[in-house]
Amino acid sequence: MGLDLGYVLPKLMFLSKSDEISIDAITLFVGLLCTCIVVGHLLERNRWVNESITALIIGLCTGVMILIATGGRSSHILIFNEELFFIYLLPPIIFNAGFQVKKKHFFRNFLTINLFGVVGTLISFLVISLGAAKLFEKMNIGFLETGDYLALGAIFSATDSVCTLQVLNQEETPLLYSLVFGEGVVNDATSVVLFNALQRFDLSRFTSDVTFKFLGSLLYLFSTSTFLGVAVGLLSAYIIKKLYFGRHSTDREVALMILMAYLSYMMAELLYLSGILTVFFCGIVMSHYTWHNVTEKSRVTTKHAFATMSFIAEVFIFLYVGMDALDIEKWRIVSKGPGTSIGVSAILFALVVVGRAAFVFPLSFIANLTRSSPHEKIGYKQQVIIWWAGLMRGAVSMALAYNQFTRSGYTKLRGNAILITSTISIVLFSTVVFGLITKALVRFMLPMQKHTGNFSDEPLKSTEEPLLMNGHGSGTASNGHGVIHSGSLRMLLATPTNTIHHYWRQFDDACMRPVFGGRGFVPHTLESPMETLS
Amino acid sequence: MGLDLGYVLPKLMFLSKSDEISIDAITLFVGLLCTCIVVGHLLERNRWVNESITALIIGLCTGVMILIATGGRSSHILIFNEELFFIYLLPPIIFNAGFQVKKKHFFRNFLTINLFGVVGTLISFLVISLGAAKLFEKMNIGFLETGDYLALGAIFSATDSVCTLQVLNQEETPLLYSLVFGEGVVNDATSVVLFNALQRFDLSRFTSDVTFKFLGSLLYLFSTSTFLGVAVGLLSAYIIKKLYFGRHSTDREVALMILMAYLSYMMAELLYLSGILTVFFCGIVMSHYTWHNVTEKSRVTTKHAFATMSFIAEVFIFLYVGMDALDIEKWRIVSKGPGTSIGVSAILFALVVVGRAAFVFPLSFIANLTRSSPHEKIGYKQQVIIWWAGLMRGAVSMALAYNQFTRSGYTKLRGNAILITSTISIVLFSTVVFGLITKALVRFMLPMQKHTGNFSDEPLKSTEEPLLMNGHGSGTASNGHGVIHSGSLRMLLATPTNTIHHYWRQFDDACMRPVFGGRGFVPHTLESPMETLS
C-alpha cells in the first residue's frame, strides 16, 4: 500500500516530443466518439440501425483509413487493454443497469429472471464448452487447453440484448421487456463471474469433485459480492440521509454517489470478489434508498449522468471493436487457413444459437408452471423473442475474449489468433446482421404493437426513461402492495414471487426505510429543479 | 497517428499478482475522496474550514499513516504526475468555471477583469521573477537558470480564490464577487499560458527583442486559443440545435457536450495552443448557446455534472498535495539546510504579497477612472479584499511547480528540491492559515453583510448556484439590454463597457442566436424534469 505506485497512473506525457502522439490518439478517439453519437442519432431515425452498429462501422472505416495511412502496418490507435475495460468502462455500464432497472418488475419476476440469467447462462456455457471441445478436436486450430474451452463457453454466454430492447415496447409487453432486460443484466454478471471463477481455478484435472468445488466457489462469489454491494449502497444511503438532512448540496451528493459506487466495485476487486455483481446491487440499493434521500436536482443529475457515462462507455467499446477488427497481425496468422477460421466462427455461432435454445424453451416451460393466470404466462412467440434477443454478442464477449486469448494485446499462437478473429467475426456478424433483422422479426411476432407516434420519435426514451420512472413511480405501492392485501391467501398460493415481494415490502417499510431513507421517508425540501433554472 | 500507441492507455493490471497494488491505490484514493467530502461537509457547518483545507489535512494524516506503515520509506501512494493533472483534472475545473460564470457580470466587467487577470498577472509575474532573481542570488540554493526564475514568477502568479469566494455574498456585493471570480479564472488561464509559453521559448539570451517576440507569441496564443474554444462551442450549439430539434435525447446531449468540451481542450493541446483558455471559452459559449438548445433535464444534469466533476478534481488535487507534502526524499535534501528553505519560502511568499499589491491598487485606480457612478467604483476596502483573495496559492501552482522542478516525479537537484518544498509550504500555509483568517477579515471589512439564515446553511449554493442561475436568468434582458435603450447617449459616454455589451447583444440577437440557438430562440419541449421523476 505504501509502495511506490507511480506506475498506476496513466503515463500520458505532456508537451514533450514523444507525447504528441498520445494527445493525437485521445483527440482522434474523442472526435470519433462525437461523430458516432451524431451519426448514430441521425441513423436512428429509421430505427434499423442503432448506436452499436454505427460505432462498429465508424470504427471499421477509421481502421481502414489508418491502415492506408500507415501503409498497412496497423489499423488501431489504441491497443485493447482489458484493464481499461474492467476498471473504467465496465463499472459505469453495470452500475447504470442496476440503477435504472425497473425494480418493481425486476423483483416481481425475480425468480424467472434468475432462472434465465443464472441457470440459463450455465446451460448455455455447458453446451458451448462441450460442443466446442467435441467439434474443434478434429479441426487443425492449434493447441487449446480445457480452460480455453471453458472460457469459450463463458465468453459466448455473455449476451447483448440492447438491440432487442430498443425495439420492444415496454408499455405493451411489460413482462417480455422485463424478462429480456433482467436476463441481460444477470447474464452479464453470471458470465463475468463464471469467467473469473474459471481463471482462478485449477482446471487441469476435471473431476466431479472439482466441479462441486467450482460450483461452491461460484455460490460464494455470488453471495459475498451481492452482500458487499448491498452494504456499500446502504452505507451511502445512511451517510447522505444523516449528513445532508435539511442542508443539501447537490454537487456533493452526486460526487458521493459516484465515488461510493466506484468504491464498491474496486473493493470487490480488491477482495477477489466479483465487482460486476457488487456494483450492480450497489446500483439497485442506491436507486431504492439513496436516490430518494437527495435533492430533486441531484436525482435528475444522477439519473442522466450515470446513463450518459454508461452510454459513452458502450460507444467507446464498440468503436474500439470496429477499429480493432482490421488489426493485421491476427488476420495474417488466420489467413493461412481462412477455411478453418470461417468454420470455427460458424461452429461457435451455431453453438450460441443451440445453447440458447437449449435453455430458453425448457426454462420458459418451468417458469410457466409457477404462473397461474394466462396473461402472466410466457407465450410461444415471446419465448422466440427471448431466444432471439440473446443471440447478439457484444462488448463483454470481446473483453473476455481479449482477456483470455491475448496477453498484452497480441496474439502469437495460431489457436488464440483464430479464436480472437472468430470472436470479432461473431460480434460483428450478430450485431450488424441480426441487429438489422430484429426490428422486422419483433414486428412480425408481435403485430399488435403500435409503431407510430412519439415512440419512433424518441427512441432512447422508450428504452431508458420508463425504467427509472416506473421503478420510482407511485405505481409501486398501489399495484404491487395493494393488490396483495385484497386477496392475500389466493395470491400466496398462486404467485409465490409476489408474496415474497409483499413480505419484503413490509420489512422494507418497517425496518429498512426508517433507517436508510427511501421513497416517502425523507421530508422533501420544497425546491424544484425549475426554480433555479430559468 | 497510426503508430502503436498502446502505451497511452493506463497501464493498470487486472487480476494478476502485481496488480493488487494498483487496485489498492485506487480503492484507497476513492475511499479518501469520500471521506473528504463527508468530513468537509461536516466541518463546513462552522464555515471556517473549507473542502480544500479538509482535503489537505486528510491527505497529511494519510501521509503520516503510510509513512509509519512503510517504516518511513514513503508517504504517498501515487507519484504526482503533471500529465494526470493537465489531461484529466484541470480541464473539468476550467471548463466548469467557464460554464458556470455569471456571464452578465463577467462581460459587463470584462475590461476590469482582464485588466486584473491579464495585466495584473503579468505585473505579479515580473515582480516575483525579478525579485526572486535578485534575492536568491546571494543565497546558496543551487544553480537556477533564467527560465527557472521566470517559471517561478508564473507558478506563484496563479491564485486560488475559492476560499474568499465561499465567504463573499454575491447578492450583497455583486461587483466585488464578479471581480474576484472573474479575475481568478482569467488569472489561472494567464499563468498557465505564460508558463507554457516560457517552456516553449528559448530564454537563454534575454534581450528586448526576445521580450517582444515573447509578448507576440503570448498574444497569438491568447487569440487563437480563444478562437478555437469559441468555434468548438458554437459547433456544439449548432449540432445540437440542428440534430435534436423536436427529438431530444438527454443522454446523448449530455454526452456530446462533455465530449466536445474535452475535444476542444485536446485539440488546443494538439495544436500547441492553450487548452485552458480554449476550454474556458468553450464553456462560456456552451452555457450561452448550447445549454439553451437542450432539454430541461439535460440542463440540470450538465450544470451539476460539470460542477461535480470539477469538485472531485479539486478535492483530488488537494488530497494529493497533502499526501505528497510529507514525501521524504525532497525533505531529506532540504533538511541539510532548513534555514535556507524557510528563507526561500518566506521570500517567495513576501514577493507574492508585494507582487499582488503592486497591481491591485494601481489597476483599481485605473479601473475607477472608467467608472462614473460612485456605487460602481471599487472602494478601498474592496480593493483590500481583492488583494487578499489572490494571496492563496493552490492546485495550479502545485502542478506547475511539479512540471518545472521535477522530471518524472523526483527531485534530484538541491535547487529543485528547495523550490518544490517551498511551493508545498506556501500552498499549505496560505491555504490553511490565510484560509482561516479570510472569513474574519471579510466580515471586518464588509460589516454590512448579513451572516444568518439560509446562507450559512447552504454554503455551496451561495457560491455556485447563482452563477448560472442569474447568468441564464430573465434579468439579463431587462437589466442589461433594456436600461441602455432608455438613455443610450448618456450611457455611451459614461460606461463604455456597457455600450460594447449593448452592441454585442444586438449582434447576438440578430445574427448569432438565430443560427446557434440560445435563450428564447429554441422552442421548448413542454416537458419538465419533474414529470418523469415521481
Side-chain angles (χ1 to χ4, degrees):
Chain A
M1 209 151 90
L3 298 175
D4 185 320
L5 306 178
Y7 67 87
V8 303
L9 287 184
K11 289 279 176 265
L12 287 160
M13 310 285 158
F14 185 70
L15 290 178
S16 74
K17 211 64 200 166
S18 64
D19 314 329
E20 296 153 42
I21 307 165
S22 73
I23 294 180
D24 269 14
I26 296 179
T27 311
L28 179 62
F29 225 95
V30 175
L32 285 176
L33 284 174
C34 292
T35 316
C36 285
I37 294 172
V38 172
V39 175
H41 188 79
L42 286 175
L43 290 179
E44 218 182 61
R45 204 178 280 268
N46 60 23
R47 311 257 303 145
W48 290 78
V49 189
N50 63 5
E51 230 95 32
S52 315
I53 298 176
T54 312
L56 273 178
I57 290 168
I58 289 180
L60 276 171
C61 296
T62 317
V64 171
M65 282 190 287
I66 296 175
L67 209 57
I68 293 167
T70 58
R73 269 182 295 123
S74 165
S75 81
H76 48 47
I77 49 165
L78 300 164
I79 286 194
F80 197 90
N81 187 310
E82 73 269 16
E83 290 81 39
L84 171 81
F85 179 79
F86 281 107
I87 296 206
Y88 298 121
L89 300 176
L90 194 58
I93 295 177
I94 304 295
F95 175 74
N96 186 54
F99 194 77
Q100 312 271 359
V101 80
K102 202 171 168 177
K103 290 189 301 303
K104 187 179 75 173
H105 283 275
F106 183 79
F107 285 109
R108 183 168 290 174
N109 297 314
F110 193 70
L111 289 181
T112 314
I113 286 172
N114 276 301
L115 200 63
F116 283 122
V118 179
V119 180
T121 304
L122 287 175
I123 293 174
S124 165
F125 158 72
L126 285 177
V127 169
I128 295 170
S129 297
L130 295 176
K134 276 271 175 255
L135 293 167
F136 288 175
E137 237 172 87
K138 293 148 205 166
M139 298 175 78
N140 172 29
I141 59 159
F143 180 70
L144 292 175
E145 295 171 9
T146 314
D148 286 333
Y149 288 117
L150 293 172
L152 268 184
I155 290 165
F156 287 105
S157 297
T159 66
D160 183 3
S161 44
V162 171
C163 193
T164 312
L165 286 176
Q166 286 187 339
V167 181
L168 288 179
N169 184 334
Q170 91 161 351
E171 299 308 314
E172 292 175 15
T173 51
L175 172 68
L176 184 62
Y177 190 92
S178 132
L179 287 181
V180 170
F181 181 85
E183 192 226 318
V185 169
V186 178
N187 161 280
D188 271 357
T190 310
S191 350
V192 177
V193 170
L194 199 58
F195 184 82
N196 285 343
L198 286 170
Q199 299 263 305
R200 291 167 203 179
F201 231 72
D202 178 26
L203 293 156
S204 48
R205 289 158 306 127
F206 196 65
T207 64
S208 66
D209 193 42
V210 172
T211 313
F212 273 110
K213 271 191 187 159
F214 178 74
L215 284 176
S217 128
L218 212 60
L219 201 71
Y220 169 80
L221 264 181
F222 256 97
S223 51
T224 45
S225 304
T226 306
F227 176 78
L228 181 65
V230 171
V232 175
L234 288 178
L235 183 67
S236 78
Y238 187 76
I239 287 177
I240 287 181
K241 180 162 176 266
K242 280 290 162 200
L243 276 190
Y244 294 92
F245 187 77
R247 180 168 82 107
H248 289 278
S249 153
T250 296
D251 300 332
R252 266 173 245 193
E253 286 170 349
V254 177
L256 210 55
M257 282 175 81
I258 293 177
L259 289 173
M260 287 197 76
Y262 193 62
L263 189 63
S264 78
Y265 184 85
M266 293 310 289
M267 276 170 73
E269 291 300 329
L270 195 63
L271 301 169
Y272 294 103
L273 303 177
S274 162
I276 201 170
L277 264 180
T278 304
V279 83
F280 176 69
F281 279 97
C282 186
I284 289 184
V285 171
M286 276 198 178
S287 79
H288 190 65
Y289 297 110
T290 320
W291 198 75
H292 292 283
N293 297 349
V294 298
T295 60
E296 209 62 60
K297 277 180 284 183
S298 298
R299 280 182 228 178
V300 180
T301 305
T302 48
K303 187 186 152 202
H304 290 292
F306 295 152
T308 304
M309 283 194 286
S310 167
F311 174 67
I312 293 178
E314 268 175 31
V315 176
F316 188 99
I317 292 167
F318 278 102
L319 188 60
Y320 181 80
V321 170
M323 214 181 266
D324 192 70
L326 290 170
D327 183 41
I328 287 302
E329 203 188 335
K330 292 189 282 282
W331 293 102
R332 198 169 286 147
I333 302 171
V334 171
S335 64
K336 287 168 195 158
T340 318
S341 178
I342 294 169
V344 167
S345 306
I347 289 173
L348 279 174
F349 195 63
L351 287 172
V352 164
V353 173
V354 172
R356 189 152 178 91
F359 79 81
V360 169
F361 301 107
L363 293 183
S364 296
F365 178 76
I366 295 172
N368 279 339
L369 294 180
T370 67
R371 291 158 181 271
S372 56
S373 72
H375 77 272
E376 271 198 332
K377 285 191 192 289
I378 307 163
Y380 179 69
K381 286 184 171 176
Q382 294 190 319
Q383 293 177 23
V384 172
I385 288 176
I386 293 173
W387 168 74
W388 178 271
L391 293 184
M392 268 71 82
R393 291 296 171 272
V396 176
S397 297
M398 282 299 296
L400 295 180
Y402 274 93
N403 196 338
Q404 176 72 15
F405 298 117
T406 72
R407 299 290 170 197
S408 73
Y410 284 98
T411 43
K412 301 284 176 220
L413 291 168
R414 183 175 145 77
N416 287 356
I418 288 179
L419 290 176
I420 282 286
T421 51
S422 298
T423 310
I424 294 173
S425 308
I426 291 172
V427 169
L428 285 178
F429 177 79
S430 68
T431 305
V432 176
V433 179
F434 275 48
L436 291 175
I437 302 172
T438 301
K439 196 189 182 187
L441 181 90
V442 170
R443 288 193 180 175
F444 175 74
M445 298 300 279
L446 303 170
M448 76 288 190
Q449 286 203 324
K450 276 177 255 157
H451 295 288
T452 51
N454 68 341
F455 178 56
S456 58
D457 275 349
E458 306 200 9
L460 251 176
K461 227 177 164 148
S462 64
T463 61
E464 289 188 54
E465 312 279 25
L467 296 178
L468 200 62
M469 190 172 75
N470 289 28
H472 298 293
S474 53
T476 322
S478 61
N479 296 3
H481 206 173
V483 166
I484 300 220
H485 273 292
S486 67
S488 187
L489 190 65
R490 196 185 59 80
M491 292 294 278
L492 184 70
L493 294 169
T495 50
T497 318
N498 276 0
T499 319
I500 294 169
H501 189 70
H502 166 62
Y503 284 115
W504 158 247
R505 285 297 302 255
Q506 283 197 329
F507 172 70
D508 195 26
D509 287 342
C511 306
M512 302 294 279
R513 293 195 184 192
V515 180
F516 299 108
R519 193 178 166 69
F521 277 79
V522 176
H524 273 213
T525 46
L526 286 169
E527 60 172 330
S528 114
M530 309 300 297
E531 267 176 53
T532 50
L533 276 167
S534 60
Chain B
M1 210 151 87
L3 298 175
D4 186 321
L5 307 179
Y7 67 85
V8 303
L9 288 185
K11 290 279 174 266
L12 288 159
M13 309 285 154
F14 185 70
L15 291 179
S16 74
K17 211 64 202 164
S18 64
D19 314 327
E20 295 152 44
I21 307 163
S22 73
I23 294 180
D24 269 15
I26 296 180
T27 312
L28 179 63
F29 224 96
V30 175
L32 286 175
L33 284 175
C34 292
T35 315
C36 286
I37 295 173
V38 172
V39 175
H41 189 80
L42 286 175
L43 290 180
E44 218 181 60
R45 203 178 281 269
N46 60 23
R47 313 254 306 145
W48 289 77
V49 189
N50 64 5
E51 230 95 33
S52 315
I53 299 176
T54 313
L56 272 177
I57 291 166
I58 289 180
L60 277 172
C61 297
T62 316
V64 171
M65 281 189 287
I66 296 174
L67 210 57
I68 294 166
T70 57
R73 267 184 296 122
S74 165
S75 80
H76 48 46
I77 50 166
L78 299 166
I79 285 193
F80 197 90
N81 187 310
E82 74 269 15
E83 289 82 39
L84 172 81
F85 179 79
F86 280 106
I87 295 202
Y88 299 122
L89 299 176
L90 193 59
I93 295 177
I94 304 296
F95 175 73
N96 186 55
F99 195 76
Q100 313 270 0
V101 80
K102 201 169 169 176
K103 289 189 301 302
K104 187 179 74 174
H105 284 275
F106 183 80
F107 285 110
R108 183 167 292 175
N109 297 313
F110 193 71
L111 288 180
T112 314
I113 286 172
N114 276 300
L115 201 64
F116 284 122
V118 180
V119 181
T121 304
L122 287 174
I123 293 173
S124 164
F125 158 72
L126 284 177
V127 169
I128 296 170
S129 295
L130 295 175
K134 275 271 173 258
L135 295 166
F136 288 173
E137 236 173 90
K138 294 149 203 163
M139 298 174 78
N140 171 30
I141 58 159
F143 178 69
L144 290 176
E145 295 171 7
T146 314
D148 286 333
Y149 289 116
L150 294 172
L152 268 183
I155 290 166
F156 287 104
S157 298
T159 66
D160 183 3
S161 43
V162 171
C163 193
T164 312
L165 285 177
Q166 284 185 341
V167 181
L168 289 180
N169 184 333
Q170 90 161 352
E171 298 308 314
E172 293 175 16
T173 51
L175 173 68
L176 184 61
Y177 190 92
S178 131
L179 287 181
V180 170
F181 181 86
E183 191 226 321
V185 169
V186 178
N187 162 280
D188 271 358
T190 310
S191 349
V192 176
V193 170
L194 200 57
F195 184 81
N196 286 342
L198 287 170
Q199 299 264 304
R200 291 170 205 176
F201 229 74
D202 178 28
L203 294 155
S204 47
R205 289 161 304 129
F206 197 66
T207 63
S208 67
D209 193 42
V210 172
T211 313
F212 273 109
K213 269 190 189 161
F214 177 74
L215 284 176
S217 129
L218 211 60
L219 201 71
Y220 169 78
L221 264 181
F222 256 96
S223 51
T224 45
S225 303
T226 306
F227 176 78
L228 180 66
V230 171
V232 175
L234 287 178
L235 183 67
S236 80
Y238 187 76
I239 287 177
I240 288 181
K241 180 162 176 266
K242 280 290 163 197
L243 277 189
Y244 293 92
F245 187 74
R247 180 168 83 106
H248 289 279
S249 154
T250 296
D251 301 332
R252 265 173 247 191
E253 287 170 349
V254 177
L256 209 55
M257 281 175 81
I258 293 177
L259 289 172
M260 287 197 76
Y262 194 62
L263 188 64
S264 78
Y265 185 84
M266 294 310 290
M267 275 170 73
E269 292 299 331
L270 195 63
L271 300 169
Y272 294 103
L273 305 175
S274 162
I276 201 170
L277 263 180
T278 304
V279 83
F280 175 68
F281 279 97
C282 185
I284 289 185
V285 171
M286 275 200 179
S287 80
H288 189 64
Y289 297 110
T290 320
W291 198 74
H292 292 283
N293 298 348
V294 298
T295 60
E296 209 64 60
K297 277 179 283 183
S298 298
R299 279 181 230 179
V300 180
T301 306
T302 46
K303 186 186 154 202
H304 291 290
F306 295 152
T308 304
M309 284 193 286
S310 165
F311 174 68
I312 293 178
E314 267 175 30
V315 176
F316 188 100
I317 291 167
F318 278 103
L319 187 60
Y320 181 81
V321 170
M323 213 179 266
D324 192 70
L326 291 170
D327 183 42
I328 288 301
E329 201 187 336
K330 292 188 281 282
W331 293 104
R332 198 169 287 148
I333 301 171
V334 171
S335 64
K336 286 167 195 161
T340 317
S341 178
I342 294 168
V344 167
S345 306
I347 288 172
L348 279 174
F349 195 63
L351 287 172
V352 164
V353 174
V354 173
R356 191 155 177 88
F359 78 83
V360 169
F361 302 107
L363 293 183
S364 297
F365 178 75
I366 294 171
N368 280 340
L369 294 181
T370 67
R371 290 158 182 273
S372 56
S373 71
H375 77 273
E376 271 197 332
K377 285 191 190 288
I378 308 163
Y380 180 69
K381 284 184 173 178
Q382 295 190 320
Q383 292 178 25
V384 172
I385 288 176
I386 292 174
W387 168 73
W388 178 270
L391 293 184
M392 268 71 81
R393 291 297 171 272
V396 176
S397 296
M398 283 297 296
L400 295 181
Y402 274 93
N403 195 337
Q404 176 72 15
F405 299 115
T406 71
R407 300 291 171 196
S408 73
Y410 285 97
T411 43
K412 301 285 174 216
L413 291 167
R414 184 174 145 77
N416 288 354
I418 289 179
L419 290 176
I420 282 286
T421 51
S422 299
T423 310
I424 294 173
S425 309
I426 291 171
V427 169
L428 285 178
F429 177 80
S430 68
T431 306
V432 177
V433 179
F434 275 48
L436 292 174
I437 302 170
T438 300
K439 197 186 179 187
L441 180 88
V442 170
R443 288 194 182 175
F444 176 74
M445 299 299 279
L446 304 170
M448 76 292 191
Q449 284 203 325
K450 276 177 256 160
H451 294 288
T452 51
N454 69 341
F455 179 56
S456 58
D457 277 349
E458 305 199 9
L460 251 176
K461 233 180 159 145
S462 65
T463 61
E464 289 188 52
E465 312 278 26
L467 297 181
L468 200 61
M469 189 172 77
N470 290 30
H472 298 294
S474 52
T476 321
S478 60
N479 296 3
H481 204 171
V483 166
I484 297 216
H485 273 290
S486 67
S488 188
L489 190 66
R490 196 185 58 78
M491 292 296 276
L492 183 71
L493 295 169
T495 49
T497 319
N498 276 1
T499 319
I500 294 169
H501 190 70
H502 165 61
Y503 284 116
W504 158 247
R505 284 299 303 255
Q506 281 195 330
F507 172 69
D508 194 25
D509 287 343
C511 305
M512 301 296 277
R513 293 193 184 192
V515 180
F516 299 108
R519 193 176 165 71
F521 277 80
V522 177
H524 273 217
T525 47
L526 286 168
E527 59 172 332
S528 113
M530 309 300 295
E531 267 176 52
T532 50
L533 276 167
S534 61

